[in-house]
Each structure stands twice: as C-alpha cells, then as structure tokens.
Amino acid sequence: MSRDDVHKVRAFEHPGQGRKRAKATPKGRQVDPVAAHEIETLLGDRPRRRDLLIEYLHLIQDKYHQISAAHLAALADEMKLSFAEVFETATFYAHFDIVKEGEADIAPLTVRVCDSLTCAMLGGEQLLKDLQNRAGPGIRVVRAPCVGRCDTAPAAEVGHNFVDHATVTNVLAAAKSGDTHVHLPPYVDYDAYVAGGGYRLLARLRSGELPREDLLKALDDASLRGLGGAGFPTGRKWRAVLGEPGPRLMAVNGDEGEPGTFKDRYYLETDPHRFLEGMLIGAHVVEAPEVYIYIRDEYPACRDILAREIAKLPPGGPTLHLRRGAGAYICGEESSLLESIEGKRGLPRHKPPYPFQVGLFGLPTLINNIETLWWVRDIVEKGADWWKSHGRNERHGLRSFSVSGRVKNPGVKLAPAGITLRELIDEFCGGMADGHTLQAYLPGGASGGILPASMDDIPLDFGTLEKYGCFIGSAAVVVLSQADDVRDAALNLMKFFEDESCGQCTPCRAGTEKAALLMQQPVWNKELLDQLSQAMRDASICGLGQAASNPLTSVIKYFPDGFRPQQAAE
C-alpha cells in the first residue's frame, strides 16, 4: 500500500482528518492572562534569575496571603521555568500556602501556634485547640514548629507579629486589632556601633595594618568553633576555603530552627553590627566578593533590622544578599541551605565534595553560623587569652545557652563553657520555677538527647556529652520537671523530625514516621525501636535522620520505666 493509499484509508475512517489538519493548540497548563499581568507587575524590574524563585514566591504569598495554581503557572512562564520546577519548590516549604484549582481561598489572616516542646509543656496544645474553636471567620489557626521564642512560651504568630506568653485573649486581640506587622525591638544601630569602636578591626584588616594570618592565628589560638551545632574549628574552616581556587563565595546560616534554640535571634535583635563586622571580616579573609545571608522566615524582625542596617554600611566590600527562608528546618543543614539559596528544594547534598570545595553555585563557599561570626571581633580585639580565661571544669571559652522550660528566668545565658546544668539553673536562671523539681533536661536541643536529673553535674561543652549518647549542639537547654512526661517529650521531638524530614532518604523519611507510631503505644517495643534508631543513624544522608533518634534512645537508656507527670505545686 502506497503512502497516498494510507492517507485515503485514514480519511475514510476519520472523516475530515485526511483533508485538513486541526488547528494546533498548546499542550499542558495554560497561563491565565490576569495572573500573568499580576505576576509581571509584582516582579517589576527585578531580574528573572532561577535563584530568586523563593524570594518571588514570598512576594506572592505576602501580597495575596496564598499562592494559586494560576500564579504558579504565571510565575513559571515569567521566569522561563517549567511548572513542575516551580510547583515542587513551592510545595516543599511550609510557609507557602498553595491553593489548587477548585479549592476555596485561604483565610486572609493566619495565626500560627507553636507546638514544639517548650510551648507544648507550657500549654501550647490547649491554646491551639481553644483558638481554633474561637477564632471566627477570616482567621485560620494552624500549628507551627518551633518559632524560636521558647523563652516566652507559649508563642503564637499573628501574621508577622509574635505574641509572647500567648493566651486566647491576647492572640485574638492582636488578630482583631489588625496588629499583624513586625515589631522591632531596640538594638545597637550603625551610629552607636561605630561610636563604640565598631568596624575599626575590619578597617585595619582591609588596609593591611592587621595581616590576615594574624587574625587567623587569633581564631586558632582561641579555639573558636562553629556555634551552630557542628563545632568545626573556625580558623581551620576559613583556611580550607582560602586554599581552594577562586572565585569563592560566603553564605551565612541564620536558619536557627532547632527546638529550644533562640540565641541567634537574640544577637541579631540586640547587636546586629557585631555579627555584620565578623561576617565582613570572614568575607575579606577568604576573598569572597558576594555574601548570602539566609535568615529563617520565623525571624521577620531580624530580617528587617539587617535590611535597614546593611543599607547604612559605607560603599565598598562584598555585595550582600539577604535571603529569606520559608519554613523548612532541614535548611539549617549546610548543603540544604545552599540548595535553598539557589532557589530549589532544600534537599541535602551527598558529600564529598564538601561545600568548601563545591558550594554555592558550584564555587568554594565559606559557611558560618550567626553567633560564630558575632564573636570574631571580641576574640581578635581582646585576644585569645581573654576568651580562654572563661570556662569551668577544664573547658575554655564562653557559650550562649538558650534556656527554656521549668526555670524562673529563661532566656539566653552567656555562661562559661563547661558549666553544669545545676550551676546554669542556680546561677543564671534564678533556680527552678516555683513548685517544680528538676527531673530531666535536654542539653543540646531537640537532637541532643535527654538526660535525668541525676546527671546534672556533667560539664556542658563540645566533647563532654557524646559518651552519654548526647551532644551540646547549639547549646539549647530545655528543663523538665515532675509536671512533664519524658516519653511525651521524646514523642513531641520525634513528631517534629517526622514533619521536618525532607523525604529524600528512606531511613529518615520512613524511620521517623515509624518511630513516632511505635512511641505512641502504651508499652514501647524497645528492641524494635533500638534497631530502627540504629538504621536511621547509619543510613540517613544528613544529620537530621542521623540524630533524630537521640531523644528516643536516651529515654530507653536513662528512663527505662519512664516517669509520669505529677501535679506541680501552685
């Protein structure tokens, strides 16, 4: 049969097909003209770069209080990306409220109630339920992971305004008054910081008066370590980045999401330029022409303060980019942080190569935590001996402890490294809260394990807790009393890790879910939980899955019979 004969047969079977081809129409999701205009107007003359995708999703969320499928499609078209790329990024982050076609719009005001450990201990769960029952139309009430205000628990967020020591009354009052904007605390601004000697160290370094090697030696001599949790020697990290061929970049990890941790927020909201000077010093040392500062979305006041104060810096130096997280704890992991800055889902990278070799945009990258950089000026100006003069129990230096829970005076406590839990409570926190007796404590946040009161004499520092199956991490101390159930505390933490797992690897994704289910049983299957914990530690890609079981294994080891809460004295 000839080709002409084939066409004749097809024309007979399907009248009209052989005579005239139907007009071609575009395949896939179509861009709504109204949505396209709105996105084009919203973006204005901003560059359409891939790494700015998350920033632009924030623009939509802030403007419309939600992100519709039509806006996603229009944004993808405007940025020359596939709809799938934009959709998978938007749905990865908890703070983007995606409305699918046919779904009802989200209420214009969202109230988030923290459900992490300290807030749960102090009534957060009941507060959530009461607000959901009484909020009324136009207000959506949802649970949220740790918002970094454990010292004023329970905490709620009304729009971008945080309500400390939250109650149904004060939260609804804020919602009904329209008080949903960011409130800035008093802080040391640029003029005050310069008047106090600020930026002189940076000027000496840039002019060559202070040799780069002398500055690095001061950090080495002080044994300053990364204070975000990993504890890697700072001077060694800077040297490693400098040893890689340029160009190089710098990224600042301000995604402080560990339940119980709020020290970085404290420093940014009180003395931001001390951090900025340390950051600019680091950028100069590694010769980074650009610095990306990544601040978690739960810290809007910190972002606003930094934006205001960065604008006051004199010209010269590296280009500074302020980037906004979007509600993903995993982005505190350094390689996930880089992925998020690049406008992608925050999935951890496999190592090696390490970020100091292949980091942001494929370039060698220096990554430091907020507090680590905050201490650079003091250590160099006052000397390593000053830093090392602090410390107890044969430990050296200072630590910023985020203390919350059943103590009289929670908050950030600047104390000697190596201080014990008992000393920390008695000397810096005014003792236990009235009517409460120490029963257990978390020495290092959600992933640092749980220890009984009988072990309150262990020095708190890097390397002192590992033999007990715990670690100090970012020095977030949560204090439990006889009013708290240690098994419920461990379950709360496991549910947090289950929700925050990025889902990339099976041991973490399935392990945290399975562990949470097993931990809800009246009697724990300790053998199975131990096996599950070991699999998570051995096979998870990043620290989230590797450390998620630490509270669980601590409870099995140190609280074999658990302890049930008793009524605290009034």
Side-chain angles (χ1 to χ4, degrees):
M1 182 179 293
S2 68
R3 183 176 300 176
D4 290 339
D5 290 334
V6 171
H7 286 309
K8 290 178 182 178
V9 170
R10 288 181 176 172
F12 179 79
E13 291 175 346
H14 305 283
Q17 286 192 10
R19 297 190 300 272
K20 185 178 181 182
R21 180 174 294 179
K23 183 178 180 181
T25 57
K27 304 300 181 184
R29 185 179 298 274
Q30 303 304 299
V31 177
D32 178 75
V34 175
H37 176 72
E38 291 173 340
I39 294 299
E40 184 180 0
T41 302
L42 193 61
L43 267 56
D45 59 357
R46 295 178 175 88
R48 270 54 168 173
R49 299 199 316 266
R50 175 68 171 82
D51 63 289
L52 293 171
L53 174 59
I54 294 173
E55 296 296 306
Y56 296 162
L57 289 169
H58 275 302
L59 289 178
I60 302 171
Q61 177 74 41
D62 290 345
K63 172 73 173 179
Y64 298 101
H65 310 292
Q66 62 183 34
I67 303 178
S68 68
H71 280 145
L72 285 179
L75 181 62
D77 183 69
E78 186 70 19
M79 298 188 70
K80 302 297 186 288
L81 299 172
S82 71
F83 180 82
E85 285 181 277
V86 176
F87 182 81
E88 71 177 8
T89 301
T91 54
F92 181 85
Y93 295 93
H95 289 184
F96 296 138
D97 297 317
I98 310 302
V99 179
K100 300 178 182 178
E101 292 179 355
E103 291 183 344
D105 286 347
I106 293 172
L109 177 61
T110 295
V111 174
R112 289 185 166 87
V113 180
C114 179
D115 69 351
S116 289
L117 182 56
T118 306
C119 285
M121 289 164 54
L122 297 175
E125 193 65 38
Q126 189 61 50
L127 174 64
L128 174 67
K129 294 177 182 178
D130 292 343
L131 284 171
Q132 288 174 332
N133 290 333
R134 295 178 53 184
I139 301 175
R140 180 181 64 143
V141 180
V142 298
R143 64 177 65 245
C146 186
V147 296
R149 306 187 84 84
C150 316
D151 52 333
T152 56
E157 184 182 9
V158 181
H160 292 300
N161 173 30
F162 282 95
V163 179
D164 296 327
H165 304 294
T167 64
V168 173
T169 301
N170 60 20
V171 171
L172 291 182
K176 293 175 182 178
S177 70
D179 187 12
T180 62
H181 302 293
V182 180
H183 291 251
L184 299 186
Y187 63 90
V188 179
D189 65 6
Y190 176 78
D191 290 337
Y193 183 74
V194 171
Y199 292 111
R200 292 179 186 173
L201 179 63
L202 176 64
R204 290 177 58 212
L205 182 67
R206 287 178 171 174
S207 68
E209 177 187 345
L210 173 65
R212 177 167 54 190
E213 185 55 38
D214 288 358
L215 186 140
L216 287 169
K217 186 177 185 301
L219 299 181
D220 291 338
D221 290 346
S223 299
L224 178 65
R225 300 175 66 170
L227 298 173
F232 193 86
T234 302
R236 191 193 306 175
K237 177 182 282 191
W238 290 17
R239 292 177 191 277
V241 176
L242 188 59
E244 295 293 315
R248 310 174 192 92
L249 297 175
M250 182 176 183
V252 176
N253 189 343
D255 195 55
E256 181 182 52
E258 181 86 357
T261 308
F262 46 90
K263 61 184 178 59
D264 289 350
R265 175 179 63 83
Y266 171 79
Y267 285 122
L268 288 178
E269 289 183 352
T270 55
D271 198 356
H273 283 281
R274 196 169 297 267
F275 148 70
L276 287 172
E277 183 170 12
M279 178 194 71
L280 292 171
I281 288 170
H284 181 85
V285 168
V286 301
E287 301 172 0
E290 295 185 70
V291 181
Y292 290 78
I293 310 169
Y294 188 97
I295 304 295
R296 67 184 307 219
D297 198 28
E298 291 85 349
Y299 288 177
C302 295
R303 291 196 314 275
D304 282 8
I305 289 171
L306 287 175
R308 292 185 181 198
E309 298 306 310
I310 287 173
K312 298 176 184 178
L313 295 176
T319 301
L320 305 183
H321 306 272
L322 190 57
R323 291 297 175 86
R324 178 178 172 185
Y329 166 73
I330 189 63
C331 291
E333 193 276 334
E334 61 178 7
S335 64
S336 301
L337 175 89
L338 300 179
E339 291 288 298
S340 190
I341 292 175
E342 292 179 2
K344 307 171 188 174
R345 294 175 294 168
L347 300 180
R349 298 176 181 177
H350 291 274
K351 302 172 186 177
Y354 296 95
F356 80 88
Q357 300 166 314
V358 181
L360 192 59
F361 307 118
L363 299 176
T365 303
L366 172 64
I367 306 175
N368 278 130
N369 158 266
I370 297 286
E371 191 198 355
T372 309
L373 297 169
W374 197 91
W375 283 113
V376 168
R377 175 189 166 191
D378 277 344
I379 288 175
V380 177
E381 287 186 342
K382 297 178 181 179
D385 289 341
W386 165 82
W387 177 259
K388 297 176 75 171
S389 69
H390 300 280
R392 295 186 185 177
N393 299 306
E394 301 181 353
R395 314 302 297 182
H396 302 288
L398 293 166
R399 293 305 304 263
S400 303
F401 293 93
S402 304
V403 185
S404 64
R406 309 293 186 175
V407 296
K408 282 186 180 179
N409 303 313
V412 174
K413 310 297 179 180
L414 185 59
I419 195 171
T420 67
L421 186 278
R422 175 54 64 185
E423 293 169 338
L424 183 64
I425 293 175
D426 291 345
E427 299 176 32
F428 291 84
C429 302
M432 294 290 293
D434 292 340
H436 290 269
T437 302
L438 177 66
Q439 294 288 349
Y441 68 101
L442 281 66
S447 55
I450 304 177
L451 293 173
S454 60
M455 301 174 69
D456 65 355
D457 58 349
I458 301 172
L460 301 177
D461 197 16
F462 294 116
T464 61
L465 295 157
E466 283 75 2
K467 63 183 177 181
Y468 304 107
C470 300
F471 57 79
I472 192 170
S474 58
V477 176
V478 183
V479 179
L480 283 67
S481 77
Q482 79 280 8
D484 308 301
D485 186 329
V486 69
R487 291 193 178 189
D488 284 349
L491 175 59
N492 177 285
L493 300 173
M494 187 59 72
K495 286 183 175 179
F496 169 81
F497 290 123
E498 177 190 2
D499 290 340
E500 295 297 330
S501 172
C502 75
Q504 182 177 193
C505 68
T506 302
C508 177
R509 180 185 66 248
T512 52
E513 179 183 13
K514 182 65 174 178
L517 288 172
L518 291 171
M519 293 168 70
Q520 293 177 63
Q521 300 302 312
V523 178
W524 283 9
N525 185 332
K526 296 179 181 179
E527 181 179 358
L528 182 56
L529 284 169
D530 272 332
Q531 293 175 355
L532 183 60
S533 299
Q534 190 64 49
M536 292 167 62
R537 284 194 295 271
D538 291 343
S540 295
I541 291 175
C542 80
L544 190 156
Q546 294 164 9
S549 64
N550 286 342
L552 162 62
T553 54
S554 296
V555 170
I556 292 175
K557 182 176 182 180
Y558 298 114
F559 305 90
D561 300 320
F563 67 78
R564 296 297 173 185
Q566 304 168 11
Q567 186 64 39
E570 294 295 333

